[in-house]
Amino acid sequence: MQTIGTGKDYDFEAITTVNGTTSVLIGVEGAKEKSAPYTNPSLKEYTITNTSSTNFLSDSGNSWSLGGMPLASNAGMEACTYVPYSACPQTWDVPTGHNGYFFAATQQAPGSIFIYDLPAANGGHQTVSTFKYRLDPPLVQAYKISDMFYSSNQNILYVLFDDQSTSNNTTTYFSVLQGLRANSEQFLSQGYMQAPYCGCEGVAEYSGDLYLGLDQNGSQKSQNGLNYNYVYKYADFSI
Amino acid sequence: MSSPSLPPWTGGTGSVILKTNTTTTENLEPSGLTFVANSGHHWLYLASDDGEAACLSSQNGSS
């Protein structure tokens, strides 16, 4: 484990990588202020130095702030993943700075995905004024998105939701996993299901196995009956 | 919002590859996951909203 920073400027809520590179992009939630104007969410780039070391990432100096997403106090970006252009609808424009788009979601717009065309790295900080596309349907519902991951070997964009509902003064927490795949014009749902635990905030897939990460608050721990946070592996997963 | 009606989980019973009450993972609160290919291996990378990152072997959960 590596501690990179402390405080709201290092409120990490997402992590992704660009295929075939040694860069890792970590998403910072932003919106740290109590009232508007809010700091935009951002992506900080790190370079893999040595996976066997406790300091396995080094700051590349590149970062991008992401404008245009709706924000509220402590309600900024929760999810971000890189999707190669080959996995996007054929009607979309060719991205300019990378060979794919960065898909992001904010707590302030449940069920929506904001798609950014990031400029190529220039060794410093760059501001992207707004998103290029916004994806609303066919997501399962307007639940809060907590993470996303594009699986290249399954050609599935996994979208993870973590939300709550209240009925008769009783709050129930739940997480949902949905799979999306693009046809020539749009992303279509490949299915969805309730996750085995609430409080799921991380999803990834490798070699057919699915990984879910839990970041539970006290009420979610009580509902799950789990005292700690976990990463679970589900073998031979399909949706 | 009313209580949702959702299809049940069909992904089977999972196995734990990380539990956060060890010395090296005491403060980790997993908020994002991804896989990274490096030096011929694939590693599960984890971001935590307390400003940490972790690098895990997908085989044994070491960090």
Side-chain angles (χ1 to χ4, degrees), chain A residues 31 38 41 67-72 75-77 106-109 112 114 116 131 134:
Chain A
Y38 301 111
M69 276 187 283
L71 306 172
M77 184 169 69
T106 166
Q107 292 183 66
Q108 196 59 13
S112 294
F114 300 86
Y116 287 86
F131 49 89
R134 176 173 176 164

Side-chain angles (χ1 to χ4, degrees), chain A residues 1-5 10-17 24 48 51 56-57 78 140 143 146-147 149 163-166 174 176-177 192-196 201-206 210-215 228-234 237, chain B residues 1-21 23-39 42-56 58-59 63:
Chain A
M1 186 185 81
Q2 178 177 351
T3 298
I4 295 174
Y10 294 87
D11 186 359
F12 295 156
E13 293 290 350
I15 187 166
T16 189
T17 185
V24 171
I48 302 165
T51 51
F56 57 94
L57 294 175
E78 283 288 318
V140 55
Y143 300 143
S146 57
D147 200 20
F149 179 85
D163 213 328
Q164 64 188 68
S165 64
T166 301
F174 59 91
V176 183
L177 182 67
Y192 63 89
M193 65 181 85
Q194 185 164 2
E201 293 201 10
V203 62
E205 181 276 341
Y206 175 66
L210 187 88
Y211 297 77
L212 290 178
L214 272 65
D215 179 6
Y228 306 102
N229 286 320
Y230 298 83
V231 175
Y232 285 93
K233 173 183 176 180
Y234 297 90
F237 183 85
Chain B
M1 182 191 303
S2 60
S3 183
S5 177
L6 295 162
W9 180 253
T10 59
T13 302
S15 56
V16 174
I17 67 162
L18 176 71
K19 183 180 178 183
T20 61
N21 70 331
T23 302
T24 56
T25 58
E26 183 177 8
N27 297 317
L28 285 177
E29 298 178 359
S31 55
L33 300 177
T34 198
F35 267 94
V36 173
N38 188 42
S39 302
H42 279 79
W43 298 81
L44 179 62
Y45 275 40
L46 180 156
S48 166
D49 54 16
D50 287 331
E52 301 102 354
C55 166
L56 308 170
S58 63
Q59 300 302 312
S63 64

Side-chain angles (χ1 to χ4, degrees), chain A residues 140-220:
Chain A
V140 55
Q141 281 287 346
Y143 300 143
K144 292 178 179 176
I145 296 173
S146 57
D147 200 20
M148 292 183 282
F149 179 85
Y150 174 70
S151 161
S152 57
N153 74 318
Q154 295 181 333
N155 187 24
I156 290 280
L157 173 62
Y158 285 105
V159 183
L160 184 65
F161 304 83
D162 186 36
D163 213 328
Q164 64 188 68
S165 64
T166 301
S167 179
N168 297 324
N169 296 320
T170 300
T171 298
T172 302
Y173 299 88
F174 59 91
S175 294
V176 183
L177 182 67
Q178 185 175 29
L180 303 178
R181 180 179 291 148
N183 67 10
S184 60
E185 297 181 346
Q186 60 186 326
F187 277 92
L188 298 175
S189 178
Q190 305 300 303
Y192 63 89
M193 65 181 85
Q194 185 164 2
Y197 301 104
C198 61
C200 291
E201 293 201 10
V203 62
E205 181 276 341
Y206 175 66
S207 192
D209 301 332
L210 187 88
Y211 297 77
L212 290 178
L214 272 65
D215 179 6
Q216 308 172 99
N217 62 31
S219 298
Q220 290 168 330

Side-chain angles (χ1 to χ4, degrees), chain A residues 40 65-69 116 126-131:
Chain A
N40 279 337
S65 67
L66 307 180
M69 276 187 283
Y116 287 86
Q126 300 182 75
T127 298
V128 183
S129 60
T130 193
F131 49 89

